[in-house]
Amino acid sequence: MTEDYKAEEKKSLNFLEEIVEADLAAGKYKTIMTRFPPEPNGYLHIGHASSICLNFGLSLKYGGGTNLRFDDTNPVTEDTEYVEGIKKDIQWLGFEWANELYASDYFEQLYTYAVTLIEKGLAYVDDSTSEEIAEQKGTPTQPGRRNIYADRTVAENLQLFEAMRNGQYQDGEKVLRARIDMSSPNMIMRDPILYRIKHAHHHRTGDQWSIYPMYDFAHGQSDSIEHITHSICTMEFVPHREVYNWLIEKLEIYPSRQYEFARRNLSHTLTSKRKLLQLVTEKYVSGWDDPRMPTIAGLRRRGYTPESIRDYCERIGVGKRDNLIDAGVLEFCAREHLNKIALRRMVVFDPLKVVITNYEGAGEWLASENNPEDPDGGTRNISFSKELFIEREDFMEDAPKKYFRLAPGKQVRLKSAYIIQCDEVIKDADGQITQLNCSYFPNSKSGEDTSGIHVKGTLHWVNARDCFPVQVREYDRLFTVEDPGNAEGNFTDYINEHSLKVVENALAEAALKEAGVNERFQFLRKGYFTLDPDSTPEQLIFNRTVTLKDSWAKAK
RNA sequence: UGAUCCAUGGUGUAACGGUAGCACUACUGAUUUUGGUUCAGUCAGUUAAGGUUCGAAUCCUUAUGGAUCAACCA
């Protein structure tokens, strides 16, 4: 893991690495400290993965550490359940945090900071309603104005703030505000709210507090307490940087610095928590870990490997402009890794019976490589006999000349077995093809072929005698448009109705009976698959991670 | 239309005043017992107009386009 990040020296740096290297070169720091600060109110998704790779990647590359800090300052939306999910996802991605921390651990310290601000005359208790505050805030083109509460004395503010803490007021009755600049062109600087009253049960501090700090008064201070050197966040926090720095300066605390990057968007999906939640609650998907979801849990169930996700994050880089990364990049990363590690197996999705009319004897065992990309992958035994199944789409009665598969009178190789020739097509009363009678060439056996026959096509197949039915779930992109979140109308209008196709009785080769939960397979000529946790010993279920590239499908 | 941020092939990202490169995609061709993989190649880009300079994607100005900001969310 560490090697991954240190090995690549020649590569050009992204702008964050440049900042870090400049700081290191200037002797500003010996090592760096970053943090990943999720709010425990939802599941992590592919966008978070970028942030995780960025933060952990930086400290791995330059030395130092990355804290996992839960930004749990809003008790009404947060829950311990999410904490566990988030931890699992980060670990699964392959990262280790230096410390597991919570903004709520700092509530007492934060309170003290607030008192300091009040004492300095830089914060005051405001009794206005939120509507009044919004109204007094002005507009981007017009400055805001202070109200009478801003004139309260330090002593009064101190007493009132303490009373707020003691629960003497109702929710919304009062807030603590920073006294900065009501005419700043930056709306965030117009006396931002630091604390609000919420008589709510917190997942960690229980009912201990009735006031909770706002993001602006928790995040930067938490960074500072942890001596975070580089606090990396997304572009929407750019205007908050001014407050971030103002508070550090006034409080005279450790000067963490904030840097912003553009959130990375993936095409054909969404990363809005609200919309993701809607997909779940309105049953467009089966849950947060539905294999079509862009959540880490969904990607994991879909069969993506941590390596492929890290590779994706590395490849797409990081910048400051808006972007929409083609889903094909993520798919490429999956194929790239899976090709190297997936065990090759044969599964026939839509079976067509083949009888080898000139095959005598009970059958035989043939060896087939587990992975041609892995010299140490070994082989497995597959059984061959007179009756087999091939894919229905691998036969055509009237085949175009570019069709390399089976057709009347044509020859193909059965993978790891023999070359066969189609002699006779058998149909039922409706004209449906029910069986192919073929002959095989005994001297064309895989690995010892002396037949001299050259075929263009090789087919996957299973032995009728020991194959067994499995369910296959063929997943595709969840949305039909590149950017459903910004498309006209409702994003649910663009859900891909064919994003899941269930194949009930695909026939799998016997070796697949031993499939394990964390194993990845390539079903020959079909794609990459992994076992779904819904599987039972009686009914194995395989999820399609991604198809193989298919240049024939395009040519058609 | 106040402020802030951003602008390089279809997509993402480099080039740090000196040959516009890499990856994905697409397309050719070769190899192949997976129409997979691998290999070789092709197409394709500096938003515009001025300015500074021997030289500008890079610095300056203006324009244009996009994004963000007025939650007791983060």
Side-chain angles (χ1 to χ4, degrees):
Chain A
M1 215 22 231
T2 307
E3 288 70 30
D4 290 1
Y5 286 87
K6 284 186 173 159
E8 44 175 274
E9 27 201 319
K10 230 15 200 167
K11 271 188 67 182
S12 59
L13 305 174
N14 66 46
F15 80 99
L16 292 167
E17 292 169 329
E18 281 181 2
I19 289 166
V20 170
E21 289 205 0
D23 286 345
L24 256 18
K28 205 166 160 187
Y29 314 106
K30 285 214 302 288
T31 57
I32 62 163
M33 206 63 203
T34 59
R35 102 268 92 115
F36 175 64
E39 185 187 9
N41 70 346
Y43 287 84
L44 260 28
H45 54 64
I46 186 70
H48 292 113
S50 283
S51 175
I52 290 167
C53 290
L54 221 45
N55 280 295
F56 284 89
L58 240 24
S59 66
L60 241 18
K61 181 169 178 176
Y62 294 105
T66 300
N67 288 340
L68 169 59
R69 183 174 70 234
F70 290 96
D71 228 335
D72 55 350
T73 57
N74 186 5
V76 298
T77 59
E78 296 154 5
D79 200 280
T80 309
E81 170 204 341
Y82 296 115
V83 169
E84 296 311 313
I86 289 167
K87 285 162 66 176
K88 178 181 176 181
D89 289 345
I90 298 170
Q91 285 169 326
W92 179 75
L93 279 173
F95 296 103
E96 272 178 58
W97 48 84
N99 305 102
E100 178 185 333
L101 303 165
Y102 297 80
S104 54
D105 291 339
Y106 311 135
F107 281 172
E108 194 60 52
Q109 173 70 261
L110 260 17
Y111 181 83
T112 306
Y113 285 155
V115 169
T116 302
L117 243 27
I118 294 171
E119 286 169 344
K120 288 187 172 191
L122 295 173
Y124 60 93
V125 173
D126 192 331
D127 299 2
S128 308
T129 64
S130 71
E131 292 74 24
E132 285 165 343
I133 288 177
E135 193 273 321
Q136 292 158 9
K137 203 146 201 173
T139 68
T141 51
Q142 279 178 305
R145 59 178 196 282
R146 287 223 167 93
N147 56 40
I148 50 164
Y149 305 111
D151 298 327
R152 292 216 249 235
T153 63
V154 168
E156 192 183 356
N157 281 318
L158 248 17
Q159 180 264 317
L160 255 18
F161 186 50
E162 193 178 346
M164 280 169 64
R165 172 182 183 159
N166 292 338
Q168 295 175 25
Y169 304 109
Q170 298 298 305
D171 286 11
E173 212 176 319
K174 287 179 164 51
V175 290
L176 182 74
R177 289 229 256 169
R179 181 196 301 276
I180 307 183
D181 180 3
M182 286 305 283
S183 60
S184 169
N186 180 356
M187 300 287 293
I188 310 289
M189 290 290 275
R190 323 248 261 225
D191 289 10
I193 294 170
L194 268 21
Y195 269 93
R196 77 283 216 189
I197 298 169
K198 266 184 203 285
H199 292 272
H201 186 83
H202 187 278
H203 75 114
R204 299 191 83 238
T205 60
D207 300 313
Q208 196 185 332
W209 292 86
S210 50
I211 55 171
Y212 291 93
M214 297 284 289
Y215 168 86
D216 281 314
F217 198 66
H219 202 103
Q221 287 47 247
S222 301
D223 285 343
S224 179
I225 290 166
E226 295 171 20
H227 282 37
I228 298 301
T229 55
H230 302 262
S231 178
I232 298 163
C233 61
T234 48
M235 296 289 283
E236 61 263 35
F237 292 98
V238 169
H240 292 262
R241 189 176 62 227
E242 209 176 343
V243 179
Y244 186 102
N245 291 336
W246 186 89
L247 285 166
I248 281 175
E249 187 198 322
K250 300 303 178 193
L251 256 11
E252 299 177 67
I253 54 179
Y254 181 87
S256 296
R257 290 293 169 235
Q258 174 181 305
Y259 302 92
E260 310 87 9
F261 68 94
R263 200 182 74 210
R264 280 156 305 167
N265 305 298
L266 223 209
S267 79
H268 300 88
T269 192
L270 295 165
T271 46
S272 147
K273 269 182 194 172
R274 201 202 95 234
K275 290 171 181 165
L276 253 19
L277 179 66
Q278 193 179 337
L279 289 172
V280 174
T281 55
E282 295 179 12
K283 309 274 189 210
Y284 289 104
V285 295
S286 65
W288 284 100
D289 68 342
D290 185 293
R292 291 164 293 184
M293 290 285 272
T295 50
I296 305 298
L299 292 167
R300 176 168 54 228
R301 187 166 174 185
R302 177 80 171 254
Y304 276 84
T305 59
E307 289 89 337
S308 63
I309 294 174
R310 278 189 258 131
D311 181 36
Y312 165 77
C313 293
E314 180 66 28
R315 273 170 194 275
I316 62 178
V318 60
K320 293 179 91 117
R321 53 184 136 144
D322 295 334
N323 57 74
L324 184 60
I325 295 145
D326 196 291
V329 180
L330 217 207
E331 293 170 355
F332 170 84
C333 293
R335 291 189 186 105
E336 175 101 324
H337 186 225
L338 261 11
N339 178 47
K340 292 193 182 77
I341 64 159
L343 297 172
R344 310 297 137 118
R345 294 292 184 263
M346 294 196 284
V347 177
V348 173
F349 288 30
D350 184 12
L352 173 58
K353 191 174 187 181
V354 167
V355 175
I356 313 291
T357 51
N358 62 339
Y359 189 83
E360 308 300 336
E364 64 188 298
W365 289 96
L366 303 165
S368 189
E369 66 273 16
N370 282 319
N371 186 345
E373 304 297 316
D374 178 5
D376 303 321
T379 60
R380 70 190 185 284
N381 288 326
I382 52 180
S383 70
F384 186 86
S385 74
K386 195 180 178 74
E387 291 192 3
L388 314 168
F389 289 104
I390 65 166
E391 208 69 67
R392 190 166 281 275
E393 65 171 16
D394 284 339
F395 175 80
M396 258 184 117
E397 255 192 309
D398 295 304
K401 56 185 178 305
K402 295 285 277 182
Y403 188 80
F404 301 156
R405 282 110 102 141
L406 202 57
K410 291 287 173 54
Q411 299 161 347
V412 293
R413 173 171 291 283
L414 296 178
K415 175 66 182 176
S416 298
Y418 299 92
I419 292 173
I420 60 168
Q421 172 177 301
C422 176
D423 303 318
E424 190 184 3
V425 181
I426 297 175
K427 300 179 185 177
D428 63 16
D430 302 326
Q432 273 292 314
I433 299 170
T434 56
Q435 180 177 319
L436 263 24
N437 286 341
C438 300
S439 49
Y440 86 120
F441 298 87
N443 59 352
S444 68
K445 185 171 174 175
S446 189
E448 46 200 76
D449 183 358
T450 56
S451 70
I453 303 170
H454 284 286
V455 295
K456 292 284 276 185
T458 298
L459 309 184
H460 63 282
W461 54 277
V462 293
N463 186 348
R465 221 143 55 199
D466 63 359
C467 66
F468 68 106
V470 298
Q471 186 188 94
V472 174
R473 297 177 179 171
E474 297 185 284
Y475 290 105
D476 201 348
R477 297 172 181 183
L478 226 203
F479 291 95
T480 55
V481 294
E482 277 198 324
D483 195 1
N486 290 312
E488 213 172 305
N490 202 319
F491 73 93
T492 51
D493 298 343
Y494 301 96
I495 288 180
N496 177 8
E497 289 174 28
H498 309 292
S499 61
L500 169 57
K501 183 185 164 205
V502 179
V503 179
E504 282 303 343
N505 287 301
L507 297 176
E509 68 166 273
L512 236 18
K513 280 178 182 154
E514 262 100 88
V517 195
N518 277 320
E519 279 181 306
R520 326 281 169 164
F521 302 98
Q522 184 198 103
F523 292 172
L524 245 59
R525 307 205 300 137
K526 284 295 187 182
Y528 295 99
F529 295 81
T530 196
L531 198 65
D532 188 90
D534 281 352
S535 298
T536 63
E538 297 75 36
Q539 169 77 106
L540 298 187
I541 300 167
F542 291 95
N543 293 332
R544 183 172 73 193
T545 310
V546 65
T547 60
L548 255 27
K549 269 174 65 178
D550 189 351
S551 52
W552 166 241
K554 269 185 280 192
K556 279 192 289 190

